[in-house]
Amino acid sequence: MAAATSTASPNSNRKLEHLQMRKVTLAATQMSCSWDKQDNIAKAEALVREAAGKGANVILIQELFEAPYFCIEQAHKHFDLATATEENVAIRHFSSIAKELGVVLPISFFERAGQSYFNSLAMIDADGSVMGIYRKAHIPNDVAYQEKQFFSPGDTGFKVWDTAFGRIGAAICWDQWFPEAARCMVLQGAEMLLYPTAIGSEPTKPGADCIPHWQTVMCGHAGANLVPVLASNRVGEEVATEDSTLRMEFFGGSFIADHFGQKIVEAEREDGVVLTAEFDLDEIAETRRYWGVFRDRRPDLYGAISTFDGQTK
C-alpha cells in the first residue's frame, strides 16, 4: 500500500497557524479625579466600556482612582477612604462590569486589612471573579508623595494571574521603577506587565517633568523581558482636600509598549483617554525563546541584588 500523503494546501496551513495564535487587545485609560467617588467610578466605567467597544480584552485603570491622590498630605482623616476588599465599592461595581463585558479589570484601591493599610490591586477576571490581591511592595516617601503615612509595605510578593486573556503581572506606580519587580513577574510566567500609576509634579523641583524618564524605564522593562507593558497615569490638577492649598499637577502620558520596548500608543495630557494595542501572545513567546535572555541568565552571579549594600557573604 502506498504511503498516505497530505492533501493540505498552503492556505489550510495558514488557517492552522491562525488558530494557534493567541491574540489579545490591551487597553490603557487616563482620566482626572474629583472628591466625588461615584463620579470617578462612573468616569472609569465609561472608559472601560469605550475600550471594550474597541475590542479590548484587558483594560487598565489608573492608581487609586476612587479619589484624588490623597497622599499629597499627611492627614489622618484619609484613612477613612480605606475599605476591606469585600466591602470596596469599586471592586464590587467592576466585578459586575467585567462579567457583563467579558473583560479583565485590575482595580487599584486603598485596602484596610485588620489594623494595617495597603495600596492594593484586585485582579478581576472576565467572569467577574476576584482572582486575588497584590499589595504594593515599594512605598515612596517625598514631598506630596507621603505614602509611608498611609501604606504598609506589601506582603503578598509579586503576583501573576492566569486570566482568561493570558498571564498578567501587575504592580503599582513606584514599583515600576524597579527592574527586579518586572523580572520577578516575568520569571513567574507573566506575558504582559500592567502598572496603574500616579505620577505628577515635584513640589521641590518646579518645572520638572519625569514623564520621559518614567516611560524610558518602563520601556526598558518591556524590552529586557520581551513582554508588552501598559501604564495608566492620572491627569490634571488635584488638591489634597477641597479647602487645602496643597496641590499637584498629574502629567498623564499613559502608554502601551510592545515587547521590544517601543511605544505603540501614547497619551499626552488629555482627560478621558483610551489607548489600545493588539498583541499575539504566542508570537511574543516564540520571540522570547529565540532571544534567549532567560536561557542565558546567571542567577548564581546575582547575589548582590538580594542585599542592601551590594556585599555578598
Side-chain angles (χ1 to χ4, degrees), residues 232-243:
S232 289
N233 192 22
R234 35 197 329 127
V235 69
E237 186 179 73
E238 294 185 5
V239 295
T241 55
E242 292 179 350
D243 58 351

Side-chain angles (χ1 to χ4, degrees), residues 202-259:
E202 302 285 341
T204 60
K205 296 182 180 294
D209 184 348
C210 69
I211 292 297
H213 179 198
W214 164 61
Q215 291 183 340
T216 298
V217 170
M218 296 280 277
C219 287
H221 300 335
N225 293 288
L226 290 151
V227 294
V229 166
L230 286 76
S232 289
N233 192 22
R234 35 197 329 127
V235 69
E237 186 179 73
E238 294 185 5
V239 295
T241 55
E242 292 179 350
D243 58 351
S244 175
T245 59
L246 293 171
R247 57 188 65 235
M248 286 180 63
E249 183 74 23
F250 290 93
F251 295 149
S254 303
F255 70 96
I256 302 174
D258 70 10
H259 51 296

